[in-house]
Amino acid sequence: MVATSDAFDRIRIILCQTSHPGNIGATARAMKTMGIHRLYLVNPKKFPHPEATAMSSGADDVLQHAFVVQDLEEALKGVKLAVGLSARRRELTQPYLDVSEVAHEMMRVADHSDVAFVFGTEMSGLSNLEVHQCQVLSFIDANPHYSSLNLAQAVQVVCHELRQASISTKPPKLYTKDLNLLADHDSLMGFLSHLELVLEKIEFLDKVQGERLMQRLHILFARSQLEVDEINILRGILTQVQKKLKS
């Protein structure tokens, strides 16, 4: 596929709770060199900051237009596909794919809808809560004996892969459905919140490991490629259950 120029405007790079402002500036530079401009910062420790501007090396326009938000859910509003970068496979996990594979799918989706790559903190990466808000996890295939990439380097690799994917003819692998039919992040999170509310009401979560069950359900539905109509059907069922409980 050859992506349209608008596709790059639908790509979000999201940094979660970044500690060092220099890493934010270096990330902006890495993004701009590959033609990507939409930077989201989730609860950064220090921003804006002179060190971020200095390390951006001329990409201060990316910093000036960065979105600063309080949590990842806010950063993902309106996103169709969210990919979390993780150096390790999780115990309970979504599909875990090389970034070069994921980049092709991201560019295909970005032709019509917003997408996001999500990066965790410098020291510990993504939290479990942040992981569960991503449909896919991805990794950079580095030297297994020394895979220490800093945050901006990881962003640079991802943005380069996206740029290469934009001119590739490689067929997509992840999503086979019509993308226009798929539910976005907001709809999926709304359904999962509704589901948790009902499961608590019928005391199902109390009978099993509640938090762990919800983690599994997040992963299950995130990888299910639910369509908007399917979300509406499921929420309609939950609403009917709630009505029966009140009667």
Side-chain angles (χ1 to χ4, degrees):
M1 61 160 287
V2 178
T4 66
S5 58
D6 289 344
F8 285 96
D9 294 331
R10 298 190 188 98
I11 298 171
R12 304 182 192 183
I13 299 296
I14 302 177
L15 307 185
C16 297
Q17 302 180 66
T18 310
S19 298
H20 304 295
N23 287 334
I24 296 175
T27 290
R29 178 180 182 180
M31 292 169 59
K32 188 171 182 178
T33 59
M34 295 297 143
I36 296 171
H37 301 274
R38 296 180 70 188
L39 175 61
Y40 282 69
L41 304 173
V42 178
N43 197 23
K45 293 285 180 66
K46 298 176 183 178
F47 186 82
H49 195 278
E51 189 176 347
T53 303
M55 290 298 290
S56 73
S57 191
D60 41 328
D61 56 323
V62 177
L63 298 179
Q64 289 167 7
H65 293 97
F67 296 85
V68 180
V69 298
Q70 291 301 306
D71 54 45
L72 180 56
E73 186 169 355
E74 185 177 354
L76 289 173
K77 282 188 178 299
V79 164
K80 183 77 77 171
L81 177 59
V83 175
L85 263 289
S86 180
R88 66 187 189 280
R89 185 184 291 274
R90 309 292 176 119
E91 180 187 357
L92 301 174
T93 190
Q94 302 87 325
Y96 187 57
L97 303 172
D98 184 290
V99 69
S100 62
E101 292 183 81
V102 173
H104 288 82
E105 187 63 27
M106 291 288 268
M107 291 310 305
R108 184 173 80 100
V109 179
D111 240 3
H112 306 282
S113 307
D114 280 15
V115 299
F117 265 106
V118 184
F119 297 80
T121 65
E122 295 95 330
M123 294 299 294
S124 56
L126 293 171
S127 69
N128 286 336
L129 181 60
E130 290 161 347
V131 164
H132 297 150
Q133 294 189 62
C134 301
Q135 285 87 3
V136 178
L137 294 182
S138 185
F139 64 94
I140 294 170
D141 188 13
N143 178 1
H145 304 295
Y146 187 74
S147 57
S148 179
L149 287 169
N150 69 29
L151 179 58
Q153 288 173 331
V155 172
Q156 184 75 79
V157 171
V158 166
C159 291
H160 178 262
E161 291 288 354
L162 288 167
R163 190 162 192 84
Q164 291 302 299
S166 72
I167 57 174
S168 171
T169 57
K170 183 178 178 180
K173 294 181 178 180
L174 290 178
Y175 288 94
T176 56
K177 292 185 178 182
D178 183 344
L179 294 172
N180 294 318
L181 300 178
L182 291 180
D184 61 16
H185 176 268
D186 306 15
S187 299
L188 181 59
M189 290 300 112
F191 160 66
L192 286 166
S193 296
H194 195 174
L195 176 61
E196 183 172 8
L197 188 67
V198 172
L199 292 179
E200 286 177 346
K201 187 67 176 178
I202 64 175
E203 299 181 350
F204 183 76
L205 293 181
D206 294 338
K207 295 181 180 180
V208 295
Q209 292 179 302
E211 183 177 352
R212 188 173 177 81
L213 173 63
M214 286 310 304
Q215 290 174 4
R216 283 187 175 275
L217 290 174
H218 269 257
I219 293 167
L220 168 64
F221 287 109
R223 71 185 180 212
S224 296
Q225 301 182 36
L226 289 174
E227 297 180 4
V228 174
D229 286 347
E230 293 168 340
I231 289 278
N232 291 338
I233 290 169
L234 290 170
R235 295 201 68 170
I237 293 170
L238 294 174
T239 299
Q240 190 63 27
V241 171
Q242 288 174 309
K243 290 178 179 178
K244 289 293 184 181
L245 289 172
K246 290 179 181 178
S247 61

